Amino acid sequence: QKEVEQDPGPLSVPEGAIVSLNCTYSNSAFQYFMWYRQYSRKGPELLMYTYSSGNKEDGRFTAQVDKSSKYISLFIRDSQPSDSATYLCAMRKTSYDKVIFGPGTSLSVIP
Amino acid sequence: NAGVTQTPKFQVLKTGQSMTLQCAQDMNHNSMYWYRQDPGMGLRLIYYSASEGTTDKGEVPNGYNVSRLNKREFSLRLESAAPSQTSVYFCASSEGPWSGGVQETQYFGPGTRLLVL
């Protein structure tokens, strides 16, 4: 079993839809949770960073962490074609530990 | 600021050939990393350098060597390339956990696409 799992997609939605991207993980020691966005043929860039359980909102993006279920989500409201990318979840146990990445979910937002 | 730069952008090698991937950052970061990205596998850490003068193995170090040339530069060497090393290689940098920042964001370069025949 992989330490971090994501549905690879591809996920295709119409412009304006609400998108839900999810990751599950097996190690209960993870405390720091991240979402990276990766455009085609580019390097990943950090989108959201959360610590422990709860929600964090930034504009159209909301990150949610449920440590009891070992499940994290990224919601995108009013999705735009510019949101078309691969979304990687990532997590670490402490700020001194290596980051473990999920395989990524490919998202296409159709105009 | 250029951020993290990588050279070359694309390379084709024959089995057994050697090459060095170059990475440089201009953000005065302490820590640097090399990852490989394969379909369905996500990003896997090859080697990292927590600070200038130190290097450590990551998840998949076999077949690779690294050099932290100075604070700015971190190179990855394939001594004898194998088809299994066909991948996209990303270099990243961060302030480092000892900087006191909680977030510890990693900044990635644009990647090097390597094909080993």
Side-chain angles (χ1 to χ4, degrees):
Chain A
Q1 183 190 9
K2 290 180 185 173
E3 225 172 345
V4 180
E5 306 221 37
Q6 276 184 269
D7 186 335
L11 183 61
S12 185
V13 301
E15 183 175 353
I18 296 175
V19 177
S20 172
L21 303 166
N22 310 298
C23 277
T24 57
Y25 61 95
S26 57
N27 191 337
S28 58
F30 288 131
Q31 297 188 82
Y32 298 88
F33 303 92
M34 294 146 274
W35 285 95
Y36 280 80
R37 179 176 60 197
Q38 184 176 21
Y39 291 115
S40 181
R41 297 187 174 267
K42 302 285 187 187
E45 56 179 344
L46 183 69
L47 194 58
M48 299 284 283
Y49 194 111
T50 54
Y51 171 69
S52 195
S53 285
N55 291 1
K56 183 175 181 180
E57 191 172 320
D58 184 1
R60 297 184 294 109
F61 298 90
T62 300
Q64 203 170 71
V65 175
D66 181 349
K67 289 187 71 180
S68 62
S69 302
K70 299 196 191 73
Y71 190 88
I72 69 171
S73 301
L74 178 71
F75 297 96
I76 307 174
R77 289 184 298 282
D78 187 25
S79 56
Q80 302 295 309
S82 58
D83 296 327
S84 297
T86 296
Y87 291 80
L88 307 164
C89 64
M91 47 200 76
R92 68 198 312 176
K93 289 178 274 189
T94 73
S95 61
Y96 292 85
D97 281 302
K98 295 180 275 291
V99 177
I100 306 299
F101 287 86
T105 298
S106 174
L107 171 67
S108 290
V109 181
I110 312 300
Chain B
N1 283 358
V4 179
T5 57
Q6 292 183 237
T7 55
K9 286 187 169 57
F10 182 72
Q11 184 73 46
V12 180
L13 289 178
K14 294 181 180 176
T15 297
Q17 287 185 319
S18 63
M19 78 163 294
T20 299
L21 282 65
Q22 307 285 356
C23 173
Q25 51 91 9
D26 63 2
M27 295 174 281
N28 200 35
H29 283 168
N30 292 305
S31 300
M32 298 185 74
Y33 314 83
W34 275 106
Y35 291 90
R36 60 178 288 174
Q37 186 175 37
D38 302 290
M41 301 294 290
L43 285 159
R44 292 183 292 168
L45 184 65
I46 305 170
Y47 270 94
Y48 66 102
S49 171
S51 60
E52 188 179 356
T54 69
T55 60
D56 284 288
K57 294 178 181 179
E59 184 185 351
V60 288
N62 290 348
Y64 306 96
N65 283 303
V66 290
S67 294
R68 184 74 183 265
L69 303 168
N70 48 55
K71 192 172 185 179
R72 289 188 63 246
E73 298 172 289
F74 188 38
S75 63
L76 178 72
R77 182 159 179 85
L78 285 71
E79 290 292 351
S80 179
S84 61
Q85 294 178 304
T86 293
S87 187
V88 182
Y89 291 86
F90 289 100
C91 177
S93 72
S94 68
E95 286 185 4
W98 300 272
S99 67
V102 174
Q103 187 154 306
E104 241 297 273
T105 302
Q106 291 189 15
Y107 295 85
F108 285 82
T112 294
R113 294 178 177 275
L114 176 66
L115 175 61
V116 183
L117 301 174

PDB file of all heavy atoms in Angstrom, chain A residues 74-101:
ATOM      1  N   LEU A  74      -9.138  19.102  -1.343  1.00  0.00           N
ATOM      2  CA  LEU A  74      -8.995  20.452  -1.881  1.00  0.00           C
ATOM      3  C   LEU A  74     -10.246  20.748  -2.701  1.00  0.00           C
ATOM      4  O   LEU A  74     -10.583  19.992  -3.605  1.00  0.00           O
ATOM      5  CB  LEU A  74      -7.759  20.572  -2.762  1.00  0.00           C
ATOM      6  CG  LEU A  74      -7.555  21.944  -3.413  1.00  0.00           C
ATOM      7  CD1 LEU A  74      -7.144  22.978  -2.361  1.00  0.00           C
ATOM      8  CD2 LEU A  74      -6.502  21.881  -4.526  1.00  0.00           C
ATOM      9  N   PHE A  75     -10.939  21.838  -2.330  1.00  0.00           N
ATOM     10  CA  PHE A  75     -12.126  22.254  -3.072  1.00  0.00           C
ATOM     11  C   PHE A  75     -11.789  23.515  -3.876  1.00  0.00           C
ATOM     12  O   PHE A  75     -11.151  24.437  -3.360  1.00  0.00           O
ATOM     13  CB  PHE A  75     -13.285  22.551  -2.117  1.00  0.00           C
ATOM     14  CG  PHE A  75     -13.729  21.350  -1.336  1.00  0.00           C
ATOM     15  CD1 PHE A  75     -13.255  21.129  -0.052  1.00  0.00           C
ATOM     16  CD2 PHE A  75     -14.611  20.423  -1.882  1.00  0.00           C
ATOM     17  CE1 PHE A  75     -13.653  20.019   0.674  1.00  0.00           C
ATOM     18  CE2 PHE A  75     -15.013  19.313  -1.167  1.00  0.00           C
ATOM     19  CZ  PHE A  75     -14.527  19.112   0.113  1.00  0.00           C
ATOM     20  N   ILE A  76     -12.226  23.516  -5.113  1.00  0.00           N
ATOM     21  CA  ILE A  76     -12.066  24.686  -5.971  1.00  0.00           C
ATOM     22  C   ILE A  76     -13.461  25.164  -6.353  1.00  0.00           C
ATOM     23  O   ILE A  76     -14.233  24.419  -6.981  1.00  0.00           O
ATOM     24  CB  ILE A  76     -11.255  24.363  -7.246  1.00  0.00           C
ATOM     25  CG1 ILE A  76      -9.925  23.690  -6.894  1.00  0.00           C
ATOM     26  CG2 ILE A  76     -11.011  25.644  -8.048  1.00  0.00           C
ATOM     27  CD1 ILE A  76      -9.135  23.207  -8.112  1.00  0.00           C
ATOM     28  N   ARG A  77     -13.782  26.394  -5.957  1.00  0.00           N
ATOM     29  CA  ARG A  77     -15.092  26.972  -6.313  1.00  0.00           C
ATOM     30  C   ARG A  77     -14.966  27.747  -7.609  1.00  0.00           C
ATOM     31  O   ARG A  77     -13.888  28.264  -7.940  1.00  0.00           O
ATOM     32  CB  ARG A  77     -15.565  27.920  -5.210  1.00  0.00           C
ATOM     33  CG  ARG A  77     -15.977  27.242  -3.937  1.00  0.00           C
ATOM     34  CD  ARG A  77     -16.519  28.277  -2.940  1.00  0.00           C
ATOM     35  NE  ARG A  77     -15.503  29.259  -2.574  1.00  0.00           N
ATOM     36  CZ  ARG A  77     -14.514  29.035  -1.709  1.00  0.00           C
ATOM     37  NH1 ARG A  77     -14.417  27.854  -1.137  1.00  0.00           N
ATOM     38  NH2 ARG A  77     -13.648  29.982  -1.430  1.00  0.00           N
ATOM     39  N   ASP A  78     -16.089  27.833  -8.354  1.00  0.00           N
ATOM     40  CA  ASP A  78     -16.114  28.624  -9.597  1.00  0.00           C
ATOM     41  C   ASP A  78     -14.879  28.300 -10.449  1.00  0.00           C
ATOM     42  O   ASP A  78     -14.078  29.182 -10.795  1.00  0.00           O
ATOM     43  CB  ASP A  78     -16.165  30.118  -9.266  1.00  0.00           C
ATOM     44  CG  ASP A  78     -16.360  30.987 -10.494  1.00  0.00           C
ATOM     45  OD1 ASP A  78     -16.919  30.492 -11.485  1.00  0.00           O
ATOM     46  OD2 ASP A  78     -15.925  32.163 -10.461  1.00  0.00           O
ATOM     47  N   SER A  79     -14.707  27.043 -10.769  1.00  0.00           N
ATOM     48  CA  SER A  79     -13.493  26.608 -11.469  1.00  0.00           C
ATOM     49  C   SER A  79     -13.348  27.322 -12.820  1.00  0.00           C
ATOM     50  O   SER A  79     -14.343  27.626 -13.502  1.00  0.00           O
ATOM     51  CB  SER A  79     -13.510  25.098 -11.649  1.00  0.00           C
ATOM     52  OG  SER A  79     -14.678  24.682 -12.320  1.00  0.00           O
ATOM     53  N   GLN A  80     -12.103  27.594 -13.163  1.00  0.00           N
ATOM     54  CA  GLN A  80     -11.755  28.315 -14.386  1.00  0.00           C
ATOM     55  C   GLN A  80     -10.859  27.446 -15.275  1.00  0.00           C
ATOM     56  O   GLN A  80     -10.149  26.577 -14.767  1.00  0.00           O
ATOM     57  CB  GLN A  80     -10.994  29.600 -14.031  1.00  0.00           C
ATOM     58  CG  GLN A  80     -11.743  30.532 -13.115  1.00  0.00           C
ATOM     59  CD  GLN A  80     -12.989  31.091 -13.783  1.00  0.00           C
ATOM     60  OE1 GLN A  80     -12.925  31.611 -14.904  1.00  0.00           O
ATOM     61  NE2 GLN A  80     -14.123  30.981 -13.108  1.00  0.00           N
ATOM     62  N   PRO A  81     -10.866  27.687 -16.586  1.00  0.00           N
ATOM     63  CA  PRO A  81      -9.951  26.925 -17.458  1.00  0.00           C
ATOM     64  C   PRO A  81      -8.496  27.018 -17.003  1.00  0.00           C
ATOM     65  O   PRO A  81      -7.730  26.067 -17.184  1.00  0.00           O
ATOM     66  CB  PRO A  81     -10.166  27.582 -18.827  1.00  0.00           C
ATOM     67  CG  PRO A  81     -11.581  28.064 -18.783  1.00  0.00           C
ATOM     68  CD  PRO A  81     -11.792  28.526 -17.354  1.00  0.00           C
ATOM     69  N   SER A  82      -8.134  28.137 -16.375  1.00  0.00           N
ATOM     70  CA  SER A  82      -6.753  28.293 -15.893  1.00  0.00           C
ATOM     71  C   SER A  82      -6.438  27.383 -14.707  1.00  0.00           C
ATOM     72  O   SER A  82      -5.275  27.256 -14.304  1.00  0.00           O
ATOM     73  CB  SER A  82      -6.491  29.745 -15.492  1.00  0.00           C
ATOM     74  OG  SER A  82      -7.407  30.142 -14.483  1.00  0.00           O
ATOM     75  N   ASP A  83      -7.466  26.744 -14.142  1.00  0.00           N
ATOM     76  CA  ASP A  83      -7.246  25.767 -13.063  1.00  0.00           C
ATOM     77  C   ASP A  83      -6.859  24.393 -13.618  1.00  0.00           C
ATOM     78  O   ASP A  83      -6.533  23.480 -12.854  1.00  0.00           O
ATOM     79  CB  ASP A  83      -8.505  25.605 -12.203  1.00  0.00           C
ATOM     80  CG  ASP A  83      -8.878  26.871 -11.459  1.00  0.00           C
ATOM     81  OD1 ASP A  83      -7.967  27.641 -11.073  1.00  0.00           O
ATOM     82  OD2 ASP A  83     -10.090  27.107 -11.261  1.00  0.00           O
ATOM     83  N   SER A  84      -6.902  24.221 -14.925  1.00  0.00           N
ATOM     84  CA  SER A  84      -6.538  22.943 -15.541  1.00  0.00           C
ATOM     85  C   SER A  84      -5.064  22.660 -15.275  1.00  0.00           C
ATOM     86  O   SER A  84      -4.181  23.405 -15.704  1.00  0.00           O
ATOM     87  CB  SER A  84      -6.799  22.978 -17.050  1.00  0.00           C
ATOM     88  OG  SER A  84      -8.172  23.166 -17.311  1.00  0.00           O
ATOM     89  N   ALA A  85      -4.818  21.589 -14.554  1.00  0.00           N
ATOM     90  CA  ALA A  85      -3.456  21.253 -14.117  1.00  0.00           C
ATOM     91  C   ALA A  85      -3.521  19.904 -13.405  1.00  0.00           C
ATOM     92  O   ALA A  85      -4.591  19.332 -13.247  1.00  0.00           O
ATOM     93  CB  ALA A  85      -2.910  22.316 -13.158  1.00  0.00           C
ATOM     94  N   THR A  86      -2.371  19.432 -12.965  1.00  0.00           N
ATOM     95  CA  THR A  86      -2.318  18.270 -12.080  1.00  0.00           C
ATOM     96  C   THR A  86      -2.139  18.769 -10.659  1.00  0.00           C
ATOM     97  O   THR A  86      -1.303  19.655 -10.406  1.00  0.00           O
ATOM     98  CB  THR A  86      -1.166  17.333 -12.476  1.00  0.00           C
ATOM     99  OG1 THR A  86      -1.417  16.808 -13.780  1.00  0.00           O
ATOM    100  CG2 THR A  86      -1.044  16.173 -11.495  1.00  0.00           C
ATOM    101  N   TYR A  87      -2.924  18.233  -9.736  1.00  0.00           N
ATOM    102  CA  TYR A  87      -2.878  18.648  -8.330  1.00  0.00           C
ATOM    103  C   TYR A  87      -2.275  17.514  -7.501  1.00  0.00           C
ATOM    104  O   TYR A  87      -2.771  16.384  -7.512  1.00  0.00           O
ATOM    105  CB  TYR A  87      -4.277  19.009  -7.845  1.00  0.00           C
ATOM    106  CG  TYR A  87      -4.766  20.281  -8.494  1.00  0.00           C
ATOM    107  CD1 TYR A  87      -5.291  20.270  -9.775  1.00  0.00           C
ATOM    108  CD2 TYR A  87      -4.648  21.510  -7.838  1.00  0.00           C
ATOM    109  CE1 TYR A  87      -5.703  21.452 -10.384  1.00  0.00           C
ATOM    110  CE2 TYR A  87      -5.061  22.684  -8.447  1.00  0.00           C
ATOM    111  CZ  TYR A  87      -5.581  22.651  -9.728  1.00  0.00           C
ATOM    112  OH  TYR A  87      -5.971  23.815 -10.341  1.00  0.00           O
ATOM    113  N   LEU A  88      -1.200  17.842  -6.824  1.00  0.00           N
ATOM    114  CA  LEU A  88      -0.483  16.874  -5.995  1.00  0.00           C
ATOM    115  C   LEU A  88      -0.730  17.175  -4.525  1.00  0.00           C
ATOM    116  O   LEU A  88      -0.513  18.306  -4.087  1.00  0.00           O
ATOM    117  CB  LEU A  88       1.028  16.971  -6.249  1.00  0.00           C
ATOM    118  CG  LEU A  88       1.524  16.872  -7.695  1.00  0.00           C
ATOM    119  CD1 LEU A  88       2.941  17.359  -7.805  1.00  0.00           C
ATOM    120  CD2 LEU A  88       1.437  15.436  -8.156  1.00  0.00           C
ATOM    121  N   CYS A  89      -1.187  16.180  -3.784  1.00  0.00           N
ATOM    122  CA  CYS A  89      -1.206  16.376  -2.342  1.00  0.00           C
ATOM    123  C   CYS A  89       0.162  15.955  -1.799  1.00  0.00           C
ATOM    124  O   CYS A  89       0.879  15.173  -2.426  1.00  0.00           O
ATOM    125  CB  CYS A  89      -2.318  15.584  -1.676  1.00  0.00           C
ATOM    126  SG  CYS A  89      -2.164  13.801  -1.805  1.00  0.00           S
ATOM    127  N   ALA A  90       0.525  16.502  -0.655  1.00  0.00           N
ATOM    128  CA  ALA A  90       1.821  16.198  -0.055  1.00  0.00           C
ATOM    129  C   ALA A  90       1.699  16.345   1.449  1.00  0.00           C
ATOM    130  O   ALA A  90       0.852  17.097   1.944  1.00  0.00           O
ATOM    131  CB  ALA A  90       2.901  17.138  -0.595  1.00  0.00           C
ATOM    132  N   MET A  91       2.529  15.640   2.188  1.00  0.00           N
ATOM    133  CA  MET A  91       2.436  15.706   3.634  1.00  0.00           C
ATOM    134  C   MET A  91       3.771  15.344   4.268  1.00  0.00           C
ATOM    135  O   MET A  91       4.637  14.729   3.632  1.00  0.00           O
ATOM    136  CB  MET A  91       1.310  14.810   4.150  1.00  0.00           C
ATOM    137  CG  MET A  91       1.289  13.422   3.575  1.00  0.00           C
ATOM    138  SD  MET A  91      -0.359  12.649   3.762  1.00  0.00           S
ATOM    139  CE  MET A  91      -1.307  13.470   2.470  1.00  0.00           C
ATOM    140  N   ARG A  92       3.927  15.748   5.533  1.00  0.00           N
ATOM    141  CA  ARG A  92       5.143  15.434   6.263  1.00  0.00           C
ATOM    142  C   ARG A  92       4.807  15.327   7.747  1.00  0.00           C
ATOM    143  O   ARG A  92       3.800  15.880   8.206  1.00  0.00           O
ATOM    144  CB  ARG A  92       6.215  16.485   6.005  1.00  0.00           C
ATOM    145  CG  ARG A  92       5.911  17.842   6.578  1.00  0.00           C
ATOM    146  CD  ARG A  92       6.732  18.979   5.973  1.00  0.00           C
ATOM    147  NE  ARG A  92       8.146  18.727   5.880  1.00  0.00           N
ATOM    148  CZ  ARG A  92       9.000  19.586   5.304  1.00  0.00           C
ATOM    149  NH1 ARG A  92       8.557  20.721   4.796  1.00  0.00           N
ATOM    150  NH2 ARG A  92      10.280  19.313   5.239  1.00  0.00           N
ATOM    151  N   LYS A  93       5.671  14.642   8.489  1.00  0.00           N
ATOM    152  CA  LYS A  93       5.397  14.437   9.917  1.00  0.00           C
ATOM    153  C   LYS A  93       5.782  15.664  10.732  1.00  0.00           C
ATOM    154  O   LYS A  93       5.025  16.124  11.588  1.00  0.00           O
ATOM    155  CB  LYS A  93       6.147  13.191  10.407  1.00  0.00           C
ATOM    156  CG  LYS A  93       5.559  11.885   9.876  1.00  0.00           C
ATOM    157  CD  LYS A  93       6.361  10.690  10.332  1.00  0.00           C
ATOM    158  CE  LYS A  93       7.511  10.436   9.393  1.00  0.00           C
ATOM    159  NZ  LYS A  93       8.195   9.144   9.689  1.00  0.00           N
ATOM    160  N   THR A  94       6.960  16.172  10.489  1.00  0.00           N
ATOM    161  CA  THR A  94       7.413  17.399  11.149  1.00  0.00           C
ATOM    162  C   THR A  94       8.075  18.256  10.086  1.00  0.00           C
ATOM    163  O   THR A  94       8.328  17.797   8.966  1.00  0.00           O
ATOM    164  CB  THR A  94       8.431  17.110  12.261  1.00  0.00           C
ATOM    165  OG1 THR A  94       9.684  16.745  11.661  1.00  0.00           O
ATOM    166  CG2 THR A  94       7.949  15.997  13.181  1.00  0.00           C
ATOM    167  N   SER A  95       8.400  19.491  10.445  1.00  0.00           N
ATOM    168  CA  SER A  95       9.052  20.369   9.463  1.00  0.00           C
ATOM    169  C   SER A  95      10.472  19.908   9.154  1.00  0.00           C
ATOM    170  O   SER A  95      11.107  20.419   8.248  1.00  0.00           O
ATOM    171  CB  SER A  95       9.048  21.810   9.961  1.00  0.00           C
ATOM    172  OG  SER A  95       9.754  21.910  11.173  1.00  0.00           O
ATOM    173  N   TYR A  96      10.977  18.922   9.921  1.00  0.00           N
ATOM    174  CA  TYR A  96      12.308  18.396   9.663  1.00  0.00           C
ATOM    175  C   TYR A  96      12.275  17.161   8.773  1.00  0.00           C
ATOM    176  O   TYR A  96      13.310  16.666   8.351  1.00  0.00           O
ATOM    177  CB  TYR A  96      12.991  18.025  10.984  1.00  0.00           C
ATOM    178  CG  TYR A  96      13.309  19.217  11.842  1.00  0.00           C
ATOM    179  CD1 TYR A  96      12.355  19.758  12.698  1.00  0.00           C
ATOM    180  CD2 TYR A  96      14.559  19.815  11.793  1.00  0.00           C
ATOM    181  CE1 TYR A  96      12.643  20.862  13.479  1.00  0.00           C
ATOM    182  CE2 TYR A  96      14.863  20.912  12.576  1.00  0.00           C
ATOM    183  CZ  TYR A  96      13.906  21.428  13.415  1.00  0.00           C
ATOM    184  OH  TYR A  96      14.189  22.521  14.181  1.00  0.00           O
ATOM    185  N   ASP A  97      11.082  16.620   8.542  1.00  0.00           N
ATOM    186  CA  ASP A  97      10.981  15.377   7.782  1.00  0.00           C
ATOM    187  C   ASP A  97      10.819  15.631   6.299  1.00  0.00           C
ATOM    188  O   ASP A  97      10.446  16.719   5.866  1.00  0.00           O
ATOM    189  CB  ASP A  97       9.778  14.552   8.269  1.00  0.00           C
ATOM    190  CG  ASP A  97      10.089  13.809   9.537  1.00  0.00           C
ATOM    191  OD1 ASP A  97      11.049  13.015   9.535  1.00  0.00           O
ATOM    192  OD2 ASP A  97       9.385  14.037  10.536  1.00  0.00           O
ATOM    193  N   LYS A  98      11.090  14.575   5.528  1.00  0.00           N
ATOM    194  CA  LYS A  98      10.916  14.655   4.075  1.00  0.00           C
ATOM    195  C   LYS A  98       9.430  14.768   3.753  1.00  0.00           C
ATOM    196  O   LYS A  98       8.575  14.284   4.486  1.00  0.00           O
ATOM    197  CB  LYS A  98      11.513  13.412   3.424  1.00  0.00           C
ATOM    198  CG  LYS A  98      13.023  13.322   3.597  1.00  0.00           C
ATOM    199  CD  LYS A  98      13.582  12.085   2.953  1.00  0.00           C
ATOM    200  CE  LYS A  98      13.507  10.876   3.838  1.00  0.00           C
ATOM    201  NZ  LYS A  98      14.427  10.982   4.988  1.00  0.00           N
ATOM    202  N   VAL A  99       9.166  15.411   2.627  1.00  0.00           N
ATOM    203  CA  VAL A  99       7.800  15.546   2.144  1.00  0.00           C
ATOM    204  C   VAL A  99       7.462  14.313   1.309  1.00  0.00           C
ATOM    205  O   VAL A  99       8.253  13.892   0.457  1.00  0.00           O
ATOM    206  CB  VAL A  99       7.655  16.817   1.283  1.00  0.00           C
ATOM    207  CG1 VAL A  99       6.253  16.922   0.715  1.00  0.00           C
ATOM    208  CG2 VAL A  99       7.995  18.052   2.109  1.00  0.00           C
ATOM    209  N   ILE A 100       6.301  13.745   1.555  1.00  0.00           N
ATOM    210  CA  ILE A 100       5.817  12.605   0.774  1.00  0.00           C
ATOM    211  C   ILE A 100       4.704  13.105  -0.136  1.00  0.00           C
ATOM    212  O   ILE A 100       3.727  13.709   0.334  1.00  0.00           O
ATOM    213  CB  ILE A 100       5.265  11.491   1.680  1.00  0.00           C
ATOM    214  CG1 ILE A 100       6.307  11.097   2.732  1.00  0.00           C
ATOM    215  CG2 ILE A 100       4.855  10.287   0.847  1.00  0.00           C
ATOM    216  CD1 ILE A 100       7.600  10.555   2.168  1.00  0.00           C
ATOM    217  N   PHE A 101       4.856  12.862  -1.431  1.00  0.00           N
ATOM    218  CA  PHE A 101       3.885  13.343  -2.412  1.00  0.00           C
ATOM    219  C   PHE A 101       2.952  12.229  -2.869  1.00  0.00           C
ATOM    220  O   PHE A 101       3.363  11.074  -3.006  1.00  0.00           O
ATOM    221  CB  PHE A 101       4.610  13.886  -3.653  1.00  0.00           C
ATOM    222  CG  PHE A 101       5.300  15.200  -3.434  1.00  0.00           C
ATOM    223  CD1 PHE A 101       6.590  15.246  -2.918  1.00  0.00           C
ATOM    224  CD2 PHE A 101       4.662  16.382  -3.751  1.00  0.00           C
ATOM    225  CE1 PHE A 101       7.224  16.464  -2.714  1.00  0.00           C
ATOM    226  CE2 PHE A 101       5.288  17.603  -3.552  1.00  0.00           C
ATOM    227  CZ  PHE A 101       6.575  17.639  -3.031  1.00  0.00           C
TER     228      PHE A 101
END
